[in-house]
Amino acid sequence: MKRATLFLTLVLVFSLFAFGGIIDTIKARGYLVMGTNATFPPFEFVDAKNEVVGFDIELARAVAKKLGVTLRVIDFAFDGLIPALQADKFDIIFAGMTITEKRKEVVLFSDPYFDAGQVIVVRKGYKHFDDVDELTNEKVAVQTGTTGDLMATEVPGIILTRFPHFTEALMELSLRRVNAVVIDSSTGEAYIKFNPNLEVGSPILSAESYGAAIKKGNEELLNFVNQVLKELKTSPYDALLDAWF
Ligand code: GLN
């Protein structure tokens, strides 16, 4: 009897090591792997030193730091990010990814960390659009698989071209091969800063929130990330209030 108990205990301890959670796996590996699409300034983009930098990178770095590991960033096509996450190519996606019902069917999303919305970017002085429906008969470029793509796809009679990267969509616009790009507002503004021939030609057309995406089953990592986001959002003053009252 005692021997059996000892044996069972050993089996249990062994299986805990063998099937440790995702957090143990990351810690043992020594780095957190983040998937992103680095044509989405200021969230992720390639800087002059050829490094991927941006707001999302800093968020992921805060998660890695709290785990006591380093961060590895993998730059991927946006519409390939979720399939690659499912195939364990990364632990987490930080890609200015909008939390949608459809995506929630296949991945877990962290608490929202940024409010966003789509806008229409045009060449300066081209036209002003009050609504996305006014893109009927217009040549429009989007990045494949984005919420901007989904929104534009709904417009009857739109002449839509999809590109793997926003850089290409905006290049087409500058080259006059299309007349509009549907893009997230903060990223649209960031591109305009470097392309003075472009401007935002619409109000904000949708209400979206970004979340980090994590593979289903990795709830342990999800809770950890939510905790880090919460700590980042809490000011030192709030922390003092919490501690003393
Ligand atoms: N927020 C948009 C989406 O989730 C675009 C994100 C991106 O292109 N990186 O589809």
Side-chain angles (χ1 to χ4, degrees), residues 126-127 129 132-140 152 155-160 179-180:
Y126 175 67
K127 252 183 211 178
F129 298 93
V132 69
D133 291 341
E134 294 169 18
L135 290 176
T136 299
N137 297 325
E138 294 283 351
K139 287 186 189 163
V140 180
V155 178
I158 194 170
I159 307 153
L160 192 62
N179 293 324

Side-chain angles (χ1 to χ4, degrees), residues 18-30:
F19 306 108
I22 176 69
I23 297 220
D24 285 341
T25 307
I26 296 167
K27 283 185 175 165
R29 193 202 293 141

Side-chain angles (χ1 to χ4, degrees), residues 181-208:
V181 168
V182 182
I183 188 169
D184 299 52
S185 113
S186 303
T187 303
E189 297 285 354
Y191 272 111
I192 285 165
K193 268 192 208 152
F194 296 99
N195 295 281
N197 60 325
L198 303 180
E199 67 182 2
V200 172
S202 78
I204 294 181
L205 302 167
S206 59
E208 305 179 20

Side-chain angles (χ1 to χ4, degrees), residues 37 40 44 78 95-98 103 118 143 145-148 166 184 208 210:
N37 172 255
F40 202 67
E44 41 269 331
F78 185 78
M97 186 174 274
T98 302
R103 290 173 182 161
Q118 301 301 305
Q143 177 171 272
T146 57
T147 44
F166 270 127
D184 299 52
E208 305 179 20
Y210 298 162

